[in-house]
Amino acid sequence: YHNNLFYLTGTRLGPKEKLDIPVVFMPDTMKMYEIVVVIHVMKENGENWLYEDSIELNKDLKSSVTVAENGGIQGILWMYPVHGIPEAPQQKLVPAVLRCQARERVKRRVEAQLSGVVPGAIAMPALENSDSVEINNSDNVQEEVQDTDGFSTTLEFQYELQYQSNEFQSQLASLVDIDLVEKEWGTQSGVVRLIFNIVFAPNRPMRNKATLVVRCSTGGVWKFTVLFIATEPEVDDVINIEAVGLNKESIVGFTLTSQTR
């Protein structure tokens, strides 16, 4: 939708009848769009609704009705704000994979390419693995993005990992840490590159998938798939039991330490 005003008049509704009002959103840039859908209802015969205190209408009610000269209510307004937030299509790319043994720790450098942040961008999103680097602890919101030509622009990015269910979130939330450590954009390519460090420290074997969601202050949303795989851990110890004789019990003791309360 656009900034222009569109009017739909002459729609007749009977008692208890429903009216569907379609709103179509087809963005051409990765930014948020805002409109207000206004519904204005009047009686078909031109009469007004009687309201004794129409002159003394409170402030909130004045914004939702139109008062006639004779004091009645001529029309009723409903106003529905609508926000259109474009989301980049998820490409069928190989997801970023973090794999390690349970009770070990792995750190990966992951790159997310955001298309459409710069006007005229045509590149599509991509997510790929690269070499591991040291983690730089930073906030969840980055205010400045440096471009490849030495200029800078004020852009804010928010990011989070979303899991497939509450069960997966409870399993992974405490095992995964993510930090944004590097960002840049090129005016020619129109693509913002965000570099993340993701740390995975599983405590047991698992295979779970998460979605890295990146939101820009201009309103765009990009999503990338991250796969977490934890394999069987190393054997803690070998327990040997020597038989003291046929048909006789042999006993050995060992200690297990709980990792939680």
Side-chain angles (χ1 to χ4, degrees):
Y1 39 81
H2 307 278
N3 293 328
N4 301 334
L5 298 176
F6 296 90
Y7 296 94
L8 177 64
T9 60
T11 303
R12 185 174 182 270
L13 287 179
K16 304 295 183 179
E17 190 175 351
K18 295 182 179 180
L19 173 66
D20 292 328
I21 302 176
V23 178
V24 179
F25 180 47
M26 189 175 65
D28 54 4
T29 56
M30 294 294 289
K31 66 178 183 180
M32 185 174 70
Y33 297 79
E34 299 179 67
I35 64 168
V36 176
V37 178
V38 180
I39 314 298
H40 189 199
V41 175
M42 296 178 290
K43 284 190 176 183
E44 187 178 25
N45 58 12
E47 295 180 357
N48 300 328
W49 285 280
L50 296 179
Y51 190 75
E52 294 180 357
D53 299 324
S54 57
I55 300 179
E56 301 297 332
L57 290 175
N58 60 60
K59 183 178 179 181
D60 294 334
L61 194 55
K62 280 185 177 180
S63 63
S64 59
V65 300
T66 53
V67 181
E69 294 180 358
N70 61 5
I73 295 178
Q74 185 179 21
I76 304 175
L77 286 172
W78 286 270
M79 305 178 70
Y80 299 94
V82 180
H83 289 181
I85 302 176
E87 180 176 318
Q90 282 190 273
Q91 303 300 298
K92 295 182 179 179
L93 302 172
V94 178
V97 179
L98 282 85
R99 181 197 302 267
C100 72
Q101 282 187 309
R103 299 203 301 266
E104 296 294 332
R105 180 178 180 271
V106 65
K107 178 171 57 179
R108 287 288 182 269
R109 177 183 168 100
V110 174
E111 176 182 322
Q113 296 184 8
L114 315 183
S115 65
V117 180
V118 180
I122 58 175
M124 299 307 295
L127 181 68
E128 55 189 48
N129 291 328
S130 54
D131 294 334
S132 175
V133 297
E134 291 297 322
I135 289 183
N136 177 20
N137 293 326
S138 59
D139 294 332
N140 200 29
V141 178
Q142 303 296 324
E143 295 185 352
E144 186 173 288
V145 175
Q146 189 75 25
D147 71 9
T148 54
D149 299 325
F151 300 99
S152 63
T153 181
T154 301
L155 288 175
E156 292 184 357
F157 290 96
Q158 294 180 334
Y159 58 92
E160 63 175 335
L161 283 173
Q162 293 181 352
Y163 304 98
Q164 294 176 306
S165 66
N166 292 335
E167 180 183 358
F168 285 170
Q169 181 173 359
S170 63
Q171 293 176 1
L172 281 173
S174 61
L175 310 178
V176 177
D177 185 47
I178 180 171
D179 287 299
L180 178 56
V181 296
E182 186 179 334
K183 60 276 181 187
E184 66 177 30
W185 66 275
T187 54
Q188 294 182 353
S189 65
V191 176
V192 171
R193 295 175 62 251
L194 301 182
I195 308 297
F196 295 91
N197 271 347
I198 303 180
V199 177
F200 180 41
N203 54 8
R204 60 183 180 82
M206 64 178 65
R207 183 186 180 93
N208 290 331
K209 187 183 295 183
T211 301
L212 172 59
V213 180
V214 181
R215 295 182 175 86
C216 183
S217 57
T218 59
V221 178
W222 296 262
K223 294 183 178 181
F224 309 94
T225 301
V226 183
L227 183 60
F228 297 95
I229 301 175
T231 58
E232 293 288 339
E234 294 286 351
V235 174
D236 292 290
D237 202 354
V238 177
I239 300 172
N240 294 316
I241 304 178
E242 291 189 7
V244 296
L246 292 177
N247 298 319
K248 294 183 178 180
E249 289 185 351
S250 296
I251 300 175
V252 63
F254 57 93
T255 301
L256 296 178
T257 303
S258 174
Q259 298 299 315
T260 67
R261 297 187 60 169

